[in-house]
Amino acid sequence: MTETQITSDTLKAWGHLPGKAFGQALEMAQAAEAAGDNLNAIRERIEPLKPAPVTPLQKAGEVPFHFNIEASDDPDEVKNLGQVHETMMAVMRTPTVVSAAVMPDACPAGPVGTIPVGGVVAARNAIHPGMHSADICCSVMMTDMGDADPKAVLDAAEQVTHFGPGGRANGRRYTLSQKLMDAFRENPFLNNPKILRMAVEHLGTQGDGNHFLFVGRSRATGRTAMITHHGSRGPGAVLYKLGMQVADRFRRELSPDTLKQNAWIPADTQEGRDYWAALQLIRKWTKANHNALHQATVEASKARPGERFWNEHNFVFRRNDLYFHGKGATPAWGDYAQDATGLTLIPLNMSEPVLVVRGRDADHGLGFSPHGAGRNFSRSEHKRRMGDVTAQQALEAETAGLDIRFPAGGVDASELPSSYKDAASVVAQIEKFGLADIEDYIDPYGCMMAGDIPPFWMERKKKRRR
């Protein structure tokens, strides 16, 4: 028997790399050689089994980004600014990224190289799940409640909403559109038993953390307004996990040096098209979730509503041939979606007005504006700095005259105004950098948030120890 000329070294010389397809390519090549094929024909035959070229990281500083934020002399702001700059420098090395911007409310949101809150990243032919975050389509909706009494609106809202972990009990659920549920089932990412169950159970819920229901009065009209803030809840969280798994598979094949949190799904693949479609359906679900709570509050309070509009700030937007990833950043161009009105909302903190703005579509903001006030330090650091002051004492001092409710737990000190950046400074920077024009202020009457409740993962850990 003639000794084979084709070995693993031969394949390596032809550009094949050790991996899943390497053994198959070697077996095919040696079988073809035994059958008498010449080397050129064999090389051509196994060429499709060659892995795609690995895409290297971009050089540090090669792709510039826009910094629409400044720090005062406050040490916390200076430190925050430095951390944001450091993490963005790492983000910009991701091979797909062509541009980025940072908003005035920016703050770090994970290990270095993770897109910060208040960050916008433009990528070519790529959807990065880690850049829209697990709280997909986190968003705000406002309804003009007419001349309704603000307290009556807040009382009615407390009856119909659901804060805290989990979903609604059977018998207390809102009805999900069958058309939307059918669309979920037709999508490979969303046709998941857990997502389908949560899509029903979580409709009409707001979760915890910084999600809120706010009631106030418009300075422009004197009318009452209600604003809700939440994302896609359980369905979106599971979609995010599935998207990250697919993105990481592509990362290992295409760019193993890319940070895991910046992995991407190529938009022109079947997986990319399916994930993009799933995002649009999750957006519809999230809007339905807001609408359910607003309409139920209108009916319970017997209000005579006026206009209603909304906008998302954790999402991916397609504009021309680029995918814009906003994490805690709001699209500021008028037709970013079919239901866009040109107006968007910027909440600051529970004791400050919610801003109604019209974006300027500034190039240096990549067409975005801020989504809120952001933080200069973590929740745990804020609690540590409170010293001997109790959460109740801090609440009374910081929100005097306001109706603040925590229906699912105690006072959450990490959501008090002092835990956020200075609202006036953020507003001043919105104006200084020309990101949006303020058209109205919704002055606070009161708001609801979940309250100080243990995170779901802590409860799971306790159960495992039992």
Side-chain angles (χ1 to χ4, degrees), residues 14 150 180 328 444:
W14 289 351
L180 184 55

Side-chain angles (χ1 to χ4, degrees), residues 83-94 109-116 121 130-131 258-263:
Q83 291 174 331
V84 169
H85 188 273
E86 180 186 16
T87 203
M88 282 302 299
M89 288 294 290
V91 170
M92 301 309 292
R93 300 198 64 190
T94 307
V112 172
T114 304
I115 183 175
V121 171
M131 292 186 185
T258 291
L259 297 172
K260 287 186 176 181
Q261 62 264 43
N262 294 331

Side-chain angles (χ1 to χ4, degrees), residues 47-385:
E47 186 70 16
L49 295 176
K50 186 186 292 185
V54 171
T55 306
L57 297 179
Q58 302 189 85
K59 294 178 182 178
E62 183 178 6
V63 182
F65 61 95
H66 304 281
F67 221 52
N68 302 290
I69 180 174
E70 61 183 7
S72 65
D73 294 332
D74 181 88
D76 289 322
E77 288 194 10
V78 172
K79 181 180 178 182
N80 174 75
L81 202 64
Q83 291 174 331
V84 169
H85 188 273
E86 180 186 16
T87 203
M88 282 302 299
M89 288 294 290
V91 170
M92 301 309 292
R93 300 198 64 190
T94 307
T96 60
V97 173
V98 298
S99 188
V102 174
M103 298 291 112
D105 55 338
C107 51
V112 172
T114 304
I115 183 175
V117 173
V120 183
V121 171
R124 193 178 304 283
N125 190 39
I127 303 172
H128 296 259
M131 292 186 185
H132 60 52
S133 90
D135 196 9
I136 302 176
C137 203
C138 193
S139 44
V140 278
M141 177 178 282
M142 188 184 89
T143 295
D144 174 350
M145 304 293 280
D147 297 326
D149 175 57
K151 182 179 185 305
V153 172
L154 195 60
D155 288 344
E158 188 170 11
Q159 295 172 23
V160 304
T161 193
H162 173 97
F163 280 101
R168 288 181 174 270
N170 200 9
R172 293 181 56 82
R173 293 175 184 163
Y174 288 82
T175 302
L176 180 63
S177 157
Q178 190 60 50
K179 183 178 180 180
L180 184 55
M181 182 61 92
D182 288 343
F184 269 46
R185 290 193 179 98
E186 292 170 4
N187 183 278
F189 280 97
L190 299 178
N191 188 21
N192 173 289
K194 192 171 184 180
I195 289 179
L196 296 175
R197 173 175 58 79
M198 287 179 163
V200 175
E201 294 177 357
H202 286 206
L203 192 68
T205 70
Q206 293 195 244
D208 51 18
N210 65 355
H211 296 161
F212 64 76
L213 190 152
F214 174 103
V215 176
R217 285 191 186 277
S218 160
R219 286 188 196 174
T221 67
R223 292 161 69 91
T224 299
M226 184 181 97
I227 298 162
T228 50
H229 171 226
H230 60 73
S232 51
R233 306 287 291 113
V238 178
L239 173 62
Y240 165 79
K241 183 177 180 180
L242 297 174
M244 285 298 289
Q245 290 172 355
V246 172
D248 194 57
R249 173 167 60 80
F250 279 108
R251 182 192 69 83
R252 292 195 302 269
E253 295 175 2
L254 302 176
S255 183
D257 289 339
T258 291
L259 297 172
K260 287 186 176 181
Q261 62 264 43
N262 294 331
W264 73 88
I265 305 174
D268 60 0
T269 62
Q270 189 59 52
E271 293 93 333
R273 289 185 286 271
D274 289 338
Y275 191 73
W276 177 256
L279 288 176
Q280 310 318 306
L281 291 171
I282 281 291
R283 183 182 190 272
K284 288 183 178 180
W285 185 93
T286 307
K287 185 178 182 180
N289 195 24
H290 282 286
N291 270 325
L293 296 173
H294 282 246
Q295 194 56 36
T297 302
V298 165
E299 294 172 7
S301 65
K302 297 180 173 54
R304 295 182 177 180
E307 69 172 341
R308 178 180 301 172
F309 65 92
W310 81 309
N311 64 266
E312 59 271 57
H313 46 247
N314 279 10
F315 207 60
V316 186
F317 308 88
R318 187 163 56 194
R319 196 176 193 190
N320 299 322
D321 62 341
L322 297 178
Y323 290 83
F324 290 81
H325 302 72
K327 182 178 180 182
T330 302
W333 65 94
D335 58 350
Y336 74 88
Q338 288 185 341
D339 55 2
T341 64
L343 296 175
T344 57
L345 302 163
I346 305 179
L348 297 168
N349 65 58
M350 62 175 64
S351 69
E352 295 286 344
V354 172
L355 310 180
V356 180
V357 309
R358 189 174 298 277
R360 291 190 180 178
D361 194 9
D363 288 342
H364 54 271
L366 299 194
F368 284 72
S369 62
H371 87 302
R375 300 172 186 266
N376 278 326
F377 41 80
S378 68
R379 296 169 188 267
S380 57
E381 174 63 13
H382 175 259
K383 290 181 179 180
R384 186 190 69 77
R385 295 187 184 194

